[in-house]
Amino acid sequence: MVTGTSFGTPHAQAVAVYFGERVKVLGLRVPYVGRHVSEDVGLPLGQANMRYESKSCNTNLIGHVIGKAFMSTVSDPASFFDEPSGASRALISCLQPKALEQIKKLNNEHEDAMQCIKKDMNRGVVVSGQGWLYMCATDTLLDHKFDVRDIKKNKTNIPVIVWYAEDDEDCPPSHGVWLVEEFGGKSRLFSGLGHVGAAFVDHVKFLDEVRMAA
């Protein structure tokens, strides 16, 4: 069973392509398919073209420091997922105008999920900023040199579960639509919760659905 979320989904797809029949099911939340497939089938690249390579994460000290400082400011759970204020609020409003409304809705309607999100972001993003930079580098996220369609070319009948958001401003919803159509998998469409909500809400149900498909 292989799962991936957001910009981690290309890595999950790569595992499914590489290991073939050893993978019994592929679960993707707010998925992204990368440059090769996107350009081939006419999907938008979205906001993912960060224009730096993974080697910069390991060798460029300045890039690492700036990246970690940015993530520590913008993705600090206390300021980002509660009530962002000051510079954080202005930056969020500029980059994703709908995000503040979505965060408010998530806090009101999915309090338990939001608590998990805050803990996960604090552990996985702020603490390991270098890992986040590596995951989103151009050569690992966009130009990763594999094609998820090779799962079918390799004659491996892997069930694919796709949960995505129609109002996702990070991973274009068309990527989710394309994956569902390409693999005929089960899907769930979120509305009004944005990228974050579709990535985290009802995660236990998501994992149960993935297990049942294995």
Side-chain angles (χ1 to χ4, degrees):
M1 184 176 85
V2 176
T3 66
T5 300
S6 185
F7 293 149
T9 56
H11 304 265
Q13 295 166 49
V15 170
V17 170
Y18 184 80
F19 287 101
E21 293 182 353
R22 293 177 62 183
V23 177
K24 301 305 180 184
V25 60
L26 176 62
L28 304 171
R29 298 197 69 164
V30 289
Y32 198 83
V33 297
R35 188 189 304 276
H36 173 68
V37 173
S38 294
E39 293 182 345
D40 190 41
V41 302
L43 297 175
L45 292 178
Q47 299 183 13
N49 195 359
M50 305 223 179
R51 302 183 185 280
Y52 68 90
E53 295 185 353
S54 57
K55 62 183 179 181
S56 300
C57 306
N58 300 317
T59 60
N60 190 328
L61 178 61
I62 295 177
H64 175 52
V65 171
I66 292 175
K68 191 157 187 174
F70 173 78
M71 292 309 300
S72 297
T73 300
V74 177
S75 294
D76 171 41
S79 64
F80 186 88
F81 288 114
D82 288 325
E83 284 295 330
S85 60
S88 295
R89 187 180 185 88
L91 182 59
I92 295 168
S93 298
C94 178
L95 295 177
Q96 296 190 358
K98 297 179 181 178
L100 295 173
E101 181 180 342
Q102 292 164 352
I103 291 171
K104 183 177 181 179
K105 183 175 182 179
L106 284 166
N107 278 312
N108 290 337
E109 299 179 7
H110 301 280
E111 184 177 356
D112 290 343
M114 287 300 286
Q115 292 301 320
C116 293
I117 292 171
K118 293 169 189 176
K119 291 179 181 179
D120 186 72
M121 292 294 285
N122 187 60
R123 172 187 58 81
V125 179
V126 178
V127 175
S128 54
Q130 191 168 6
W132 183 91
L133 287 170
Y134 181 86
M135 182 179 71
C136 292
T138 298
D139 53 326
T140 56
L141 176 60
L142 283 172
D143 304 318
H144 39 52
K145 309 300 183 186
F146 76 89
D147 189 327
V148 67
R149 292 172 292 187
D150 287 342
I151 291 175
K152 294 193 298 184
K153 290 180 181 179
N154 295 338
K155 298 181 180 180
T156 52
N157 187 26
I158 300 174
V160 179
I161 310 298
V162 181
W163 285 20
Y164 64 103
E166 67 177 4
D167 52 353
D168 195 327
E169 296 181 342
D170 290 305
C171 296
S174 55
H175 288 224
V177 173
W178 179 83
L179 283 163
V180 173
E181 293 176 348
E182 182 72 15
F183 291 95
K186 294 183 178 180
S187 65
R188 178 176 174 182
L189 176 64
F190 289 82
S191 179
L193 300 179
H195 181 78
V196 173
F200 288 95
V201 168
D202 289 341
H203 197 60
V204 172
K205 292 182 180 179
F206 171 75
L207 294 176
D208 286 341
E209 186 171 323
V210 172
R211 290 191 200 98
M212 291 295 292

